[in-house]
Amino acid sequence: MTIDNTTDTLDIAELPLADGRRLALPLLALAEVQQLRPSTEGLGDLRWRGHELQVKSLEAFLGLAEPPVEAHKTVGIFRAAEGSDQPFHALAFCGLAAHRCIRPDEMETAELPDEGFFAAAAKMDGITYLVPNLPELMFQQHSGELH
């Protein structure tokens, strides 16, 4: 019996960044996405399915400049790696998330930005997509002050 591990499409979550680039990550990295109502005091906390989650800026977490609090429109509930202190983390971003099915041949390799913590970059339809360091995003490795 032959096992074929190829796939025709990849299911990704597409999250907008304030500067027009987008974050591309496996759809399964997100448990849920919901609208955010930040206060004038900051992004605040979120009670979600019995968990009290501190909401942090996705861009700041990824090592990019943090947009103003009021620019954050959506919060993603990210699954953490097995063995993490907390099984979920809340990261806010600017805009609405989208689910996208892409074919690997649709992506062109792009140059990694000088700033931030990213594993790869690609272009599709003239838009730059940044691929985060997944162990970092899923709180498997700890390298920043926000962790």
Side-chain angles (χ1 to χ4, degrees):
M1 175 164 87
T2 303
I3 298 175
D4 182 8
N5 286 330
T6 61
T7 184
D8 292 333
T9 61
L10 301 169
D11 285 315
I12 66 165
E14 181 181 303
L15 309 182
L17 300 174
D19 65 6
R21 296 180 291 184
R22 303 212 176 123
L23 193 68
L25 62 141
L27 189 59
L28 292 176
L30 282 169
E32 189 171 304
V33 176
Q34 54 183 253
Q35 294 301 108
L36 177 69
R37 292 175 189 85
S39 73
T40 56
E41 299 169 14
L43 295 172
D45 294 324
L46 174 68
R47 184 144 182 83
W48 182 79
R49 297 186 186 183
H51 300 278
E52 191 69 32
L53 306 173
Q54 181 184 8
V55 180
K56 299 174 184 173
S57 169
L58 175 65
E59 278 145 309
F61 180 82
L62 293 171
L64 301 172
E66 185 172 353
V69 171
E70 63 276 4
H72 294 88
K73 304 293 182 208
T74 308
V75 62
I77 312 301
F78 288 79
R79 290 182 170 89
E82 193 173 318
S84 180
D85 293 343
Q86 191 165 348
F88 301 98
H89 300 278
L91 297 172
F93 52 94
C94 304
L96 301 175
H99 170 225
R100 185 168 179 177
C101 292
I102 60 168
R103 292 187 326 270
D105 64 350
E106 291 179 293
M107 302 177 85
E108 299 174 29
T109 302
E111 191 173 323
L112 276 172
D114 292 332
E115 80 283 26
F117 311 114
F118 300 99
K123 281 202 178 258
M124 283 189 300
D125 303 323
I127 298 170
T128 300
Y129 288 80
L130 302 174
V131 179
N133 176 330
L134 291 176
E136 184 74 27
L137 183 66
M138 297 179 79
F139 294 77
Q140 191 171 359
Q141 297 174 338
H142 304 284
S143 70
E145 288 183 19
L146 289 174
H147 299 285

